[in-house]
Amino acid sequence: MDDGYLSDLPLWADDEARKVFERVCDEQNIPIDVITELVMLQRERQHQERAAGIYPRFEEILGRID
């Protein structure tokens, strides 16, 4: 997974925003990589008219949350 793919988004580009993001993820017991991968998946698929096959992938990613 390449966070560079998200570097144009404020949450990943701004150090202060990233710290808040990390703190909130930690407080909610959500791995940062889960949110990162969900955002990356959405960005990869945003050009598609249909979301075919995206829901099982969402479930797979979210399944990594304890």
Side-chain angles (χ1 to χ4, degrees):
M1 179 169 33
D2 179 16
D3 284 1
Y5 184 68
L6 304 173
S7 63
D8 63 317
L9 297 175
L11 186 56
W12 280 265
D14 181 86
D15 288 337
E16 193 60 36
R18 180 70 181 207
K19 289 177 188 175
V20 171
F21 172 55
E22 290 172 354
R23 187 184 77 237
V24 170
C25 284
D26 187 50
E27 289 171 358
Q28 300 301 317
N29 296 317
I30 298 173
I32 291 171
D33 65 312
V34 168
I35 302 299
T36 300
E37 195 165 346
L38 288 171
V39 172
M40 287 178 65
L41 177 61
Q42 173 58 34
R43 293 192 92 191
E44 289 170 0
R45 302 275 187 114
Q46 67 187 356
H47 67 281
Q48 297 176 342
E49 288 184 31
R50 297 183 135 177
I54 199 168
Y55 297 113
R57 185 73 179 111
F58 281 157
E59 289 178 13
E60 177 186 326
I61 295 167
L62 292 171
R64 293 196 324 253
I65 298 174
D66 292 334

